[in-house]
Amino acid sequence: MARWQEMSAIVVLGQDQGLIAFIQQAAVELSYYLTTMTGRPWGIVTADVPGPAVRLALDPLLEAADHEAVRIQSGPAGVRITGAAPVGVRHGAYIVLEKAGVMWLAPHEAWTVLPEQIRDIPDLDETHKPRYVRRNLASPWSISADPILNPMERLGDWDRHNRMYGDKYVEIQHTWQVIYPNKPQLNIQYPGSVCTNPSGLQQVEPTHPEIRRIAREWAQTRLATSPTTWIIHVNERLTEMAVPVAPEDGMEVFCDSWFTPPGNYDGQIVSDRVFGLANDVAATVAAQGKLVSCTSYAWFYKVPAFPLAANLVAVVTT
């Protein structure tokens, strides 16, 4: 068993040339909470110490399990947190603090729970990895400017503590209107590439070869010009892992002419067209190790009649 009363140091192994940001966050947060709960200071050092301690380390071999994977071991030598990458070390720090009794129940300090008595950690050896590539809580943008509530900073803290973010980001957006900003011009340039939807507005025909070419080229340009994304409320720049290729919101998704007879709505046809385009783009970016995200909204909720690309993230919404 790892007994907190026998430890007082957080040892960062292999980082004597300066701490990587995620590992530094892990060490600082461990020091803060362990000092608060034990009532005595916990130092952060980069040279190993004799006896039990909390040790932070990296092991790239864990990457085979997952980029964000972390191995947590505890016993008489203390607690060892080993990440496949620095972000895994940070995840592990919060997992260990949860095992010690800390809970972050909601994005506000009133919902941060510290135990009356810190819990020792029994002998264990376990590896953790996230279940989902995109897992963050929706942001309360409408009140983000309130200087008293300061919800964005609090939400960022809650997201980090609950491992809602890694060091990579899967963007989810409605983008057809960005990819195809001038549909009337498209229809002139490429006859048959645009149709009319039930609202009387124009929509692209996702099966048209020029529509697919434009989407593929747009995706490559976006990856080249926007390789990272700044996440405001966590105050971190993350590597962009996905290109969002999803229709506009609302009734503008489909055209009457897609159905037989025209106007006889069929969700299967809409799903096949929407995800067919997304699949095509996914094949284009797969060689770069990137993903494509596509929402699965009410108008195209059915499972496509063909297999989805392995690098396509279908976002199920409720």
Side-chain angles (χ1 to χ4, degrees), residues 24 34 49 68-69 84 89 103 140 147-148 203 235 243 253 307 312:
Q24 183 174 21
L34 292 174
V49 298
E68 297 181 52
V89 177
M103 292 184 288
I148 298 176
Q203 179 56 286
N235 197 30
V243 180
V253 171
L312 196 155

Side-chain angles (χ1 to χ4, degrees), residues 213-227 243 281 284-285 288:
R213 177 189 61 79
I214 292 169
R216 292 193 298 267
E217 292 178 357
W218 178 85
Q220 294 287 13
T221 299
R222 180 175 175 118
L223 287 174
T225 57
S226 303
V243 180
V281 177
T284 300
V285 303
Q288 298 166 258

Side-chain angles (χ1 to χ4, degrees), residues 52-100:
V54 176
R55 294 178 172 87
L56 311 182
L58 290 172
D59 182 359
L61 294 178
L62 282 173
E63 187 88 32
D66 190 90
H67 173 72
E68 297 181 52
V70 58
R71 183 182 182 187
I72 298 174
Q73 300 163 282
S74 67
V79 177
R80 187 180 182 94
I81 300 171
T82 307
V87 69
V89 177
R90 188 177 74 177
H91 291 340
Y94 299 139
I95 293 170
V96 166
L97 288 171
E98 286 179 342
K99 291 180 181 295

Side-chain angles (χ1 to χ4, degrees), residues 2-8 38 40 42 52 117-120:
R3 303 183 186 279
W4 297 114
Q5 65 182 15
E6 299 174 357
M7 298 180 276
S8 60
T38 62
R40 51 188 172 79
W42 283 68
Q117 182 175 351
I118 189 171
R119 302 173 188 165
D120 288 332

Side-chain angles (χ1 to χ4, degrees), residues 180 186 190-194 205-217 277 280:
Y180 314 105
L186 271 179
Y190 307 113
S193 65
V194 174
E205 170 50 72
T207 61
H208 194 283
E210 291 299 324
I211 293 301
R212 294 201 168 190
R213 177 189 61 79
I214 292 169
R216 292 193 298 267
E217 292 178 357
L277 176 60
D280 195 56

Side-chain angles (χ1 to χ4, degrees), residues 33 46 89 91 99 118 132 134 142 159 204 231 234 248 310:
Y33 281 101
T46 55
V89 177
H91 291 340
K99 291 180 181 295
I118 189 171
Y132 305 102
R134 169 78 184 248
S142 61
D159 274 341
V204 296
I231 308 300
V234 294
E248 300 92 332

